[in-house]
Amino acid sequence: MDKRKKLVVLTGAGMSVESGLSTFRDAGGLWDNYPVERVATHEGWEENPCYVNDFYNMLRTKYRDVKPCEGHKLLVELEKGYDVTVVTQNVDALHEAAGSTKVIHLHGELMKMCSSRDVDNPRFHVTLPHEGFGDTGLEVPHDEKAADGSLLRPYIVFFGEGVPNMDAAVREAMEADIFVIIGTSLNVYPAAGLVQYVRPGTPIYLIDPKPVAARKDITHIECGASEGMKRLMEILNLK
């Protein structure tokens, strides 16, 4: 039985910014150029699945050469002293690329496709290889079918859809001995609500360079993901 303290980390877009990825919500982010209702809703998919697939094909191609930042790598270092679970709002695979062993994706995974009829059924999930899929490596053909015969759809939690991994994330938050938040303003629900499930008295650290309206019992480390992780390692006496 693992006797190490349980450390749960909630990460948002600010975690991946240092790897060169655009955020969706900030000024100049992806939603400024691609209307959210067209690329991230069920109605958008029903109206024009080709447009939706083209958007996520573009993202995969754009993300192909992106590497984990130092913050991602330091989270892996934490596993030497703690039982670490990463709960992420990000759809990239940078935590896995860095070497994190337990990752819960709340908003889906860019490198997966699913049935458009039975989205959350793992029997119909397809994990895309980083190379050799289609003519350009990461572009899914518009007529590609899932095993149930429906069109393959990006495995992304669209606006208005349920968050299938939320229950698992809540269980992790409830069991945390230390809870860390990195690169999220705590404005995106239901993920932002996870902090409410952390047991009273549990240390909570928030790493973000911007001022964040947070509870008084949260220690705000006001800097970016990589520098913030260095400071956290010092607080935890791991550096």
Side-chain angles (χ1 to χ4, degrees):
M1 185 176 179
D2 196 334
K3 298 294 185 181
R4 296 175 299 172
K5 285 188 175 182
K6 188 173 187 62
L7 192 149
V8 179
V9 187
L10 171 64
T11 67
M15 186 80 216
S16 297
V17 163
E18 292 182 25
S19 291
L21 297 184
S22 299
T23 65
F24 284 87
R25 294 173 177 271
D26 289 344
L30 289 166
W31 293 151
D32 282 354
N33 299 312
Y34 297 91
V36 61
E37 63 273 9
R38 293 193 65 191
V39 298
T41 65
H42 179 73
E43 292 76 16
W45 168 262
E46 289 289 324
E47 179 180 340
N48 193 340
C50 293
Y51 183 85
V52 176
N53 271 335
D54 282 343
F55 172 73
Y56 291 100
N57 282 340
M58 176 274 295
L59 282 188
R60 290 186 202 99
T61 302
K62 185 176 181 179
Y63 287 13
R64 176 170 46 197
D65 298 322
V66 172
K67 305 296 183 185
C69 69
E70 187 173 6
H72 290 104
K73 296 172 183 177
L74 288 175
L75 279 179
V76 180
E77 286 290 309
L78 279 178
E79 294 189 15
K80 294 178 180 179
Y82 292 88
D83 175 15
V84 179
T85 298
V86 177
V87 179
T88 186
Q89 300 173 80
N90 301 330
V91 299
D92 59 61
L94 290 173
H95 286 298
E96 290 90 341
S100 288
T101 56
K102 291 195 287 187
V103 183
I104 297 173
H105 284 269
L106 292 181
H107 295 162
E109 299 178 58
L110 186 61
M111 293 302 297
K112 285 186 178 181
M113 301 291 287
C114 62
S115 159
S116 53
R117 183 184 303 139
D118 195 1
V119 174
D120 296 317
N121 191 331
R123 291 174 52 209
F124 305 130
H125 289 179
V126 176
T127 299
L128 305 180
H130 285 271
E131 297 178 352
F133 192 95
D135 295 334
T136 59
L138 295 170
E139 294 189 7
V140 179
H142 293 157
D143 60 352
E144 198 77 12
K145 299 288 183 67
D148 65 352
S150 69
L151 282 177
L152 275 178
R153 197 199 93 169
Y155 186 52
I156 300 295
V157 177
F158 289 160
F159 284 89
E161 294 182 333
V163 179
N165 289 330
M166 192 63 192
D167 287 347
V170 167
R171 288 194 295 271
E172 294 292 332
M174 293 174 68
E175 296 174 2
D177 296 305
I178 301 171
F179 194 79
V180 181
I181 305 157
I182 306 176
T184 175
S185 62
L186 294 178
N187 288 325
V188 180
Y189 285 84
L194 283 176
V195 71
Q196 305 301 326
Y197 293 94
V198 178
R199 291 172 297 186
T202 300
I204 303 174
Y205 300 94
L206 169 63
I207 298 171
D208 198 280
K210 301 176 183 177
V212 177
R215 295 176 355 195
K216 292 182 178 180
D217 61 336
I218 295 178
T219 300
H220 187 187
I221 301 173
E222 200 165 338
C223 49
S226 296
E227 183 60 32
M229 277 300 303
K230 291 178 186 177
R231 295 191 189 183
L232 179 65
M233 299 284 275
E234 293 172 356
I235 291 170
L236 298 177
N237 295 316
L238 292 176
K239 284 289 184 180

